[in-house]
């Protein structure tokens, strides 16, 4: 029997597609926020940074909470833009991966009040992404070569398991909440100004059954995802339904970053052929634009 | 050492590490956390926090509160100004374009008010029009107060309508869509405490 997480790593196209999409999204997200940088991350930001006593090495991701560095928030935003742009085009991938994580976590930790689950998830995915890299020159030592291959396999599995953990944990939390198990949750949420749209509220108010169906469908999807995503025949349907589900979260509920990050994370479950095809399509799209 | 044995050692070791890592994450991020023996919970928390910190209780319990706030300046002679909605522009932007920074500000507003509501929903506060001295003193020990003080303090520095305020009154309104109730309270913040 072949040992697990060994042999040549053959999912580079999948990881690279995910990495590039994440960099593009982060770039766009920061670019859109440029006029509001000070309000979001400056020393006089609308919301305070959580006074978190960052222990040891983790303090390096809380630099903007330090009064002497707080004014440099724009430098961190520009650094993130530059890291994403250079990384998107595949230059200096390891350095870019580290820099993007560094700038992203510093901005993210400065503004925890305005973060969504998407920001938290993205921080973890960016960390794991650092360790899935194409090797440079072939290693001479067989131990090093095995280690490199296994490292890529292990962190690729970790990227996928991180998504699975999100669904498994949130499904369990919801199963313990009577508002979800009684099918009323979506109906209530649709009435909240921050998490709904007037049109969505009107539709669910006029057909309450939609709210009940939506609540149970959400529960069912989140319970099934951790199992069905590993079954090739079920995966395609699951991911398409998930795109609709997270699209609704992003654009309907207005939790934009979370919805988009979850949609992007689905690329991690594409097989290598599909990922390569999508990468080609994106390249064609860029060529057309040029 | 032969190639197969070498691969097996590296591969199985990596798989064990990955499994242990995600077992710890799942135990930390799910309701399982509440059922762990204290010693195990300490080990899990020590490993996960702060670097891998994550909680995925998203929308559980499902939120049922529409929260809003208004502010008004109170001048030195005691005369109050007009009530203003500091998030009016963000709310418009949030409705129009979900990707805009306004959406982040609206989520921040809701988070900030959730902390305040958390305090006001405790047993010893009966949602009066104004907090009593004892309740106000207790509120000033809370995270909700720290967030609100920062928010209003930076607003006083930025908003001309609040520039000459000796104090700022904050009216917090919470509408419960499950019980169909509406409650509000007013919190007074002195200028000296805002800019401390």
């Amino acid at each position: 029997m072949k040992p697990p997480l060994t042999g040549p790593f053959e999912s580079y196209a999948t990881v690279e597609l995910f990495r590039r999409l994440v960099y593009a999204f982060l770039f766009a997200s920061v670019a859109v926020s440029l006029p509001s940088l000070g309000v979001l991350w400056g020393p006089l930001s609308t919301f305070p940074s959580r006074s978190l006593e960052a222990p040891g090495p983790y303090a390096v991701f809380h630099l903007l909470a330090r009064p002497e560095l707080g004014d440099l928030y724009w430098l961190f935003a520009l650094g993130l833009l530059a890291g994403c742009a250079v990384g998107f085009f595949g230059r200096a991938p390891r350095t870019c991966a580290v820099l993007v994580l560094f700038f992203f976590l510093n901005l993210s930790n400065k503004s925890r009040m305005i973060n969504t689950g998407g920001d938290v998830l993205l921080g973890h995915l960016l960390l794991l992404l650092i360790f899935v890299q194409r090797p440079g020159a072939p290693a001479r030592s067989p131990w090093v070569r095995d280690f490199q291959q296994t490292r890529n396999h292990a962190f690729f599995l970790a990227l996928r398991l991180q998504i699975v953990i999100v669904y498994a944990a949130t499904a369990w939390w919801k199963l313990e909440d009577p508002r979800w198990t009684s099918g009323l949750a979506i109906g209530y949420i649709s009435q909240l100004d921050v998490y709904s749209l007037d049109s969505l509220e009107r539709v669910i108010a006029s057909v309450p059954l939609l709210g009940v169906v939506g609540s149970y469908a959400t529960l069912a999807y989140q319970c099934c995802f951790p199992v069905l995503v590993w079954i090739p025949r079920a995966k395609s349907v699951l991911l398409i339904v998930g795109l609709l589900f997270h699209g609704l979260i992003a654009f309907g509920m207005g939790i934009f970053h979370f919805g988009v990050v979850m949609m992007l994370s689905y690329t991690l479950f594409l097989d290598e052929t599909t990922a390569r095809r999508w990468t080609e399509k994106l390249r064609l799209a860029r060529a057309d634009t040029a | 050492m032969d190639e197969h044995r070498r691969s097996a050692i590296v591969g199985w070791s990596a798989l064990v590490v990955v499994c242990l890592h995600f077992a710890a994450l799942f135990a930390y991020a799910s309701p399982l956390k509440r059922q762990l023996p204290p010693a195990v919970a300490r080990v899990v928390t020590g490993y996960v926090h702060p670097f891998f910190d994550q909680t995925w209780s998203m929308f559980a319990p499902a939120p049922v509160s529409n929260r809003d706030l208004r502010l008004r300046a109170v001048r030195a002679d005691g005369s109050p100004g007009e009530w203003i909605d500091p998030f009016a522009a963000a709310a418009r932007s949030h409705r129009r374009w979900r990707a805009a920074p306004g959406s982040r500000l609206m989520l921040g507003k809701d988070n900030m008010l959730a902390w305040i509501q958390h305090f006001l929903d405790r047993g010893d506060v009966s949602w009066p029009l104004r907090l009593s001295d004892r309740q106000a003193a207790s509120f000033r020990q809370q995270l909700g107060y720290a967030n609100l003080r920062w928010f209003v303090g930076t607003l006083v520095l930025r908003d001309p309508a609040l520039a000459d305020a000796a104090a700022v009154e904050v009216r917090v309104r919470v509408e419960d869509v499950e019980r169909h109730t509406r409650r509000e309270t007013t919190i007074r913040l002195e200028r000296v405490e805002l800019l401390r």
Side-chain angles (χ1 to χ4, degrees):
Chain A
M1 189 180 83
K2 188 185 154 206
L5 309 181
T6 56
F9 181 70
E10 290 169 344
S11 299
Y12 287 117
T14 303
V15 175
E16 286 313 310
L17 177 63
F18 173 66
R19 193 194 307 270
R20 292 172 70 180
L21 289 175
V22 163
Y23 286 171
F25 168 66
L26 265 178
F27 185 93
S29 170
V30 177
V32 163
S33 303
L34 281 177
S36 312
L37 280 188
V39 171
L40 297 175
W41 297 302
L44 288 181
S45 56
T46 301
F47 302 107
S49 49
R50 201 170 75 179
S51 55
L52 192 133
E53 289 172 19
Y58 199 61
V60 78
F61 298 119
H62 283 264
L63 295 180
L64 287 177
R66 298 168 73 108
E68 67 272 25
L69 296 175
D71 283 328
L72 299 178
Y73 63 94
W74 57 272
L75 201 58
F76 285 75
L78 290 183
L80 185 53
L81 284 174
C84 288
V86 176
F88 181 86
F89 291 107
R91 308 275 184 243
R94 287 185 187 81
T95 312
C96 282
V98 173
L99 287 178
V100 166
L101 177 73
F102 170 77
F103 291 124
F104 174 79
L105 282 186
N106 268 290
L107 291 171
S108 180
N109 285 332
K110 173 70 176 76
S111 59
R112 295 176 79 98
M113 291 277 284
I114 58 172
N115 288 350
T116 66
D119 298 283
V120 177
L121 180 61
L122 201 48
H124 294 299
L125 295 177
L126 287 172
L127 172 68
L128 297 171
L129 265 180
I130 292 176
F131 300 97
V132 187
Q133 299 283 354
R134 279 181 204 276
R140 282 188 190 166
S141 158
W143 277 96
V144 173
R145 195 180 57 240
D146 279 1
F147 173 78
Q148 284 174 342
Q149 288 174 350
T150 298
R151 183 200 63 200
N152 282 340
H153 281 293
F155 280 94
F156 181 54
L157 175 65
L159 282 161
R160 290 171 153 190
L161 286 177
Q162 177 62 67
I163 307 302
V164 168
I165 286 279
V166 172
Y167 283 109
T170 195
W172 191 350
W173 281 110
K174 286 188 174 73
L175 286 172
E176 296 207 338
D177 177 14
R179 288 180 193 136
W180 281 100
T181 50
S182 60
L184 296 174
I186 294 288
Y188 290 141
I189 294 168
S190 71
Q191 296 175 55
L192 304 184
D193 298 338
V194 182
Y195 300 116
S196 190
L197 287 170
D198 292 343
S199 50
L200 208 61
E201 183 181 351
R202 271 198 304 274
V203 168
I204 293 179
S206 58
V207 190
L209 186 63
L210 279 179
V212 177
V213 171
S215 300
Y216 286 129
T218 303
L219 262 182
Y221 184 79
Q222 295 183 338
C223 289
C224 292
F225 186 95
V227 177
L228 296 185
V229 78
W230 306 107
I231 302 172
R233 290 180 67 181
K235 194 170 67 176
S236 305
V237 176
L238 189 76
L239 295 186
I240 290 168
V241 171
L243 287 177
L244 295 173
F245 173 59
H246 288 294
L248 204 60
I249 290 177
F251 297 100
M253 292 179 69
I255 312 173
F256 185 75
H257 280 74
F258 178 71
V260 174
V261 169
M262 289 307 293
M263 287 195 277
L264 295 182
S265 73
Y266 281 10
T267 51
L268 290 167
F269 294 96
L270 296 179
D271 59 61
E272 187 69 355
T273 314
T274 313
R276 216 170 268 142
R277 202 167 60 234
W278 275 99
T279 306
E280 289 304 316
K281 276 187 184 175
L282 290 175
R283 279 191 189 137
L284 280 175
R286 282 210 313 277
D288 288 347
T289 311
Chain B
M1 189 182 291
D2 72 81
E3 190 179 341
H4 184 79
R5 191 173 159 76
R6 190 182 63 235
S7 294
I9 291 173
V10 174
W12 282 107
S13 307
L15 187 64
V16 168
V17 171
V18 170
C19 289
L20 285 175
H21 174 76
F22 281 98
L25 281 192
F26 185 67
Y28 183 84
S30 73
L32 182 61
K33 187 179 185 179
R34 296 188 302 219
Q35 293 159 26
L36 293 175
V40 178
R42 266 197 305 278
V43 172
V44 166
T45 303
Y47 172 72
V48 174
H49 185 82
F51 212 83
F52 304 112
D53 199 5
Q54 51 192 285
T55 305
W56 300 112
S57 59
M58 295 172 294
F59 284 83
V64 291
S65 297
N66 259 323
R67 309 179 185 96
D68 199 16
L69 94 167
R70 294 286 188 276
L71 305 175
R72 71 177 176 187
V74 180
R75 294 183 201 92
D77 61 5
S79 60
E82 293 289 310
W83 287 107
I84 58 169
D85 176 4
F87 287 100
R92 277 196 302 276
S93 149
H94 180 55
R95 275 194 297 270
R96 216 172 36 234
W97 190 30
R98 300 304 210 184
S103 286
R104 282 181 171 272
L105 293 177
M106 290 304 287
L107 295 178
K109 168 197 168 186
D110 200 56
N111 281 337
M112 177 177 74
L113 293 178
W115 280 104
I116 295 171
Q117 186 190 355
H118 177 67
F119 169 79
L120 296 171
D121 275 346
R122 290 189 331 184
D124 60 337
V125 178
S126 56
W127 283 81
L129 190 60
R130 283 173 194 279
L131 296 179
S132 69
D133 288 348
R134 186 181 61 80
Q135 289 164 344
S138 171
F139 179 59
R140 280 171 168 70
Q141 309 297 318
Q142 309 295 317
L143 183 61
Y145 166 72
N147 291 335
L148 184 65
R149 193 183 65 145
W150 174 281
F151 167 69
V152 179
T154 56
L155 208 62
V156 164
L157 293 176
R158 280 199 302 258
D159 192 332
L162 299 173
D164 62 345
V168 174
E169 285 187 335
V170 182
R171 193 176 67 197
V172 177
R173 184 176 290 169
V174 177
E175 179 201 4
D176 188 316
V177 298
E178 184 179 38
R179 293 182 204 152
H180 304 290
T181 57
R182 181 179 285 191
R183 299 167 298 171
E184 68 174 44
T185 193
T186 305
I187 299 160
R188 184 184 165 100
L189 300 167
E190 301 298 330
R191 189 182 182 88
V192 285
E193 70 179 299
L194 289 175
L195 304 178
R196 200 163 54 213

